[in-house]
Amino acid sequence: MNATGFLRVLAVDDEPPALDELAYHLRADPRVARLHTAGDATEALRVLRDGDVDVVFLDIRMPGLDGMELARVLRRFARPPAIVFVTAYDDGAVDAFDLGATDYVRKPVRADRLAESLRRVIGSRVVPSHPAALARAEEDPTIPIELAGTTRMLPRSAVRWVEAQGDYARLHTADGSHLVRVSLATLAERWADAGFVRVHRSYLVQLKLIAELRLVNSGYVVVIDGAELPVSRRHTRELKDKLVRAAKQDWNR
C-alpha cells in the first residue's frame, strides 16, 4: 500500500471486454490510486517489474501462463502483492486457498463485490516494519467458502471443528457450517501446526476448544460448543497426551 493508504492495482484478463469491465469498476473506487491492466501473464510480469503493486486482480484461465501459475510466481517475490482471483469458474477455489489468495470473485463482476475485495485487501496488508502483524497474518490463512452463490474467504481461526463428508469437508464455525471441496486428511496435515487434531477418521477438532473428554458407553467423546464428537480408540491415547501437555503449558504461563 502506498503512503496515503490507497492501493496500486493490477488487473489481468486475456478477454478485453472482461478486462474493461473489471478496470471500470476498479477505477471508480476511491481506494484505488493507480490501476494497471494486462492482457496476459507476460505483460503482467512486465508491469510488476517496472513498479510496485499492492494487489493483482487475476483471471485464472488464460493462454500461456495461466492465473494459478502466475500467482505461484508472485508468491516468490520479496514483497508479494495480494491476489484476488476473478473467474467464471469455481473449480479453482481450493488452489486459491493453497496459494493464500485474499479473495475469489465470480464473474460477472459487480461493483459491490469488488468493493468488498478491496476492503479485504486493505485489511490483509500490513506495514513491513511490523513483523508481529505480518506473523499474525501468516498464522491465520483463509479458505474459500460458498455463501449465497458468492465465494468468500473464511479465516481458519473461525473454524471450531471439521467433519468429513466423502471427498469434502464441513467446516463448523460459531454461527454455522460450510462445505468445502477439500478432504479432511488434507486439512489435518495442513492445520496440524495450528492446533487441529484428528480425533476420529471423520473428525478434526481445534484442541484448545475442547471443553470435555468424556467416557460414554461406546467409548470417548469430546465436547465442543455443546456438540459431542466421537473419539476413536486409535486416537484416544494421543489426544489425552496432547490435552495434558496443553494444560501444563497453560499452568506454566
Side-chain angles (χ1 to χ4, degrees), residues 94 97-100 138-145 153-163 169-173 178-198 203-209 242:
V94 172
F97 158 62
D98 287 342
L99 290 169
E138 291 175 344
E139 289 169 1
D140 194 16
T142 56
I143 185 168
I145 60 171
M153 308 306 283
L154 177 75
R156 181 176 62 191
S157 59
V159 179
R160 318 286 285 181
W161 50 282
V162 186
E163 178 182 5
R170 182 167 293 280
L171 311 180
H172 291 264
T173 66
H178 310 281
L179 192 65
V180 295
R181 193 181 302 173
V182 59
S183 70
L184 188 73
T186 297
L187 291 179
E189 179 181 352
R190 294 175 181 169
W191 291 4
D193 292 341
F196 283 85
V197 297
R198 194 80 172 261
Y203 294 97
L204 179 70
V205 305
Q206 173 55 266
L207 185 70
K208 66 183 180 182
L209 298 180
K242 289 182 176 179

Side-chain angles (χ1 to χ4, degrees), residues 2 85 106-107 132 135-136 167 174 217 231 240 252:
N2 61 22
F85 287 109
R106 291 287 301 277
K107 294 179 180 179
R136 285 195 298 271
D167 293 332
N217 292 336
V231 180
K240 287 181 177 179
N252 293 330

Side-chain angles (χ1 to χ4, degrees), residues 78-220:
R79 294 179 59 187
I83 300 293
V84 174
F85 287 109
V86 183
T87 177
Y89 309 94
D90 63 2
D91 57 359
V94 172
D95 288 334
F97 158 62
D98 287 342
L99 290 169
T102 301
D103 207 351
Y104 191 96
V105 179
R106 291 287 301 277
K107 294 179 180 179
V109 297
R110 305 190 317 269
D112 59 337
R113 185 66 183 88
L114 289 178
E116 169 66 12
S117 289
L118 290 170
R119 185 194 67 76
R120 290 169 181 265
V121 168
I122 292 171
S124 70
R125 306 307 280 169
V126 294
V127 179
S129 61
H130 290 69
L134 179 60
R136 285 195 298 271
E138 291 175 344
E139 289 169 1
D140 194 16
T142 56
I143 185 168
I145 60 171
E146 291 290 328
L147 286 174
T150 299
T151 303
R152 298 186 182 275
M153 308 306 283
L154 177 75
R156 181 176 62 191
S157 59
V159 179
R160 318 286 285 181
W161 50 282
V162 186
E163 178 182 5
Q165 294 193 345
D167 293 332
Y168 290 70
R170 182 167 293 280
L171 311 180
H172 291 264
T173 66
D175 56 1
S177 66
H178 310 281
L179 192 65
V180 295
R181 193 181 302 173
V182 59
S183 70
L184 188 73
T186 297
L187 291 179
E189 179 181 352
R190 294 175 181 169
W191 291 4
D193 292 341
F196 283 85
V197 297
R198 194 80 172 261
V199 297
H200 188 276
R201 66 181 180 181
S202 298
Y203 294 97
L204 179 70
V205 305
Q206 173 55 266
L207 185 70
K208 66 183 180 182
L209 298 180
I210 294 177
E212 294 181 48
L213 174 63
R214 180 188 304 161
L215 181 63
V216 296
N217 292 336
S218 57
Y220 282 95

